[in-house]
């Protein structure tokens, strides 16, 4: 019998892995009961917030070598910024934690949109409301860039954003 997401325990997850791009991707899966969700179009304030965060991401990306910017970055570049924040305690001048994470999240969402033809949306369900990148059509899925970025910081996850990209690519194949 499937459980609700909030009722899952460690024993309910199955450890899985695969190799991609020369690295082993480890992840966990579980089946949960369906949850009713409301899909809400972004309003003007949502768009402005994401655009503002995206501008901050450009400033952060420019701290990386090789002339990185908002026009030429990958999920690996975002993971590098997260690594510097979490492990090197790199001083990103003028960035508080929430501003830093939101910048990474907005850039990750835009990267998802480019890679998978997803679109920004807001999803609301019994667990809360969050920005999402959703795909409809041949492949239906939802990705939560803000939650992913926050978990990467809170749980000190390394290379997690690129792993999400690789998992989605594998699932689409």
């Amino acid at each position: 019998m499937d459980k609700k997401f909030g009722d899952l325990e460690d024993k309910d997850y199955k450890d899985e892995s695969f190799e991609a791009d020369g690295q082993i991707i480890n992840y966990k899966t579980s089946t949960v009961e369906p949850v009713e969700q409301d899909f809400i179009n972004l309003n003007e304030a949502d768009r402005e917030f994401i655009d503002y965060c995206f501008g901050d991401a450009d400033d952060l990306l420019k701290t990386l070598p090789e002339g990185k910017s908002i026009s030429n970055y990958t999920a690996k570049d975002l993971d590098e910024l997260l690594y510097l924040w979490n492990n090197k305690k790199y001083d990103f001048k003028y960035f508080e934690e929430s501003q830093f994470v939101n910048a990474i999240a907005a850039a990750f969402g835009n990267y998802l949109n480019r890679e998978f033809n997803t679109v920004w949306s807001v999803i609301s369900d019994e667990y809360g409301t969050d920005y999402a990148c959703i795909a409809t059509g041949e492949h239906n899925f939802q990705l939560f860039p803000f939650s992913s970025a926050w978990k990467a910081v809170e749980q000190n996850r390394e290379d997690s954003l690129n792993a999400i990209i690789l998992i989605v690519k594998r699932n689409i194949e």
Side-chain angles (χ1 to χ4, degrees):
M1 170 181 261
D2 297 343
K3 294 182 177 182
K4 288 186 145 196
F5 176 75
D7 297 331
L8 291 175
E9 301 172 29
D10 285 342
K11 67 180 181 175
D12 297 319
Y13 289 95
K14 179 181 175 188
D15 290 318
E16 299 197 39
S17 65
F18 66 94
E19 185 177 342
D21 289 349
Q23 64 185 35
I24 302 294
I25 306 299
N26 296 302
Y27 62 103
K28 296 178 184 251
T29 61
S30 185
T31 304
V32 295
E33 288 183 18
V35 173
E36 185 175 327
Q37 297 178 313
D38 293 321
F39 294 83
I40 305 162
N41 291 328
L42 296 183
N43 61 35
E44 188 60 33
D46 293 325
R47 282 189 285 281
E48 287 175 6
F49 172 71
I50 290 170
D51 286 346
Y52 177 82
C53 295
F54 199 53
D56 284 343
D58 191 38
D59 292 338
L60 289 168
L61 286 161
K62 287 177 181 173
T63 67
L64 295 175
E66 302 166 14
K68 294 295 180 179
S69 72
I70 212 65
S71 61
N72 67 343
Y73 70 99
T74 66
K76 287 182 181 183
D77 296 321
L78 299 175
D79 279 331
E80 176 66 18
L81 290 168
L82 288 165
Y83 176 81
L84 291 171
W85 180 272
N86 281 336
N87 298 300
K88 297 294 184 177
K89 303 302 179 202
Y90 185 83
D91 182 18
F92 292 101
K93 290 184 179 183
Y94 313 113
F95 281 89
E96 305 238 348
E97 183 178 58
S98 62
Q99 185 181 13
F100 174 84
V101 175
N102 288 340
I104 299 297
F108 185 51
N110 277 300
Y111 188 77
L112 293 169
N113 292 343
R114 279 193 336 235
E115 285 291 303
F116 303 116
N117 223 15
T118 56
V119 294
W120 283 108
S121 185
V122 175
I123 296 181
S124 184
D125 61 26
E126 64 187 73
Y127 299 105
T129 301
D130 197 0
Y131 291 109
C133 294
I134 60 171
T136 58
E138 183 180 349
H139 302 283
N140 292 317
F141 57 90
Q142 306 160 4
L143 302 165
F144 296 88
F146 282 81
S147 293
S148 298
W150 275 106
K151 286 178 183 177
V153 168
E154 291 169 350
Q155 299 173 9
N156 197 17
R157 294 181 178 177
E158 291 187 23
D159 302 320
S160 63
L161 302 183
N162 191 58
I164 291 169
I165 298 296
L166 295 173
I167 290 168
V168 173
K169 284 181 178 179
R170 181 172 187 256
N171 287 337
I172 287 174
E173 291 172 1

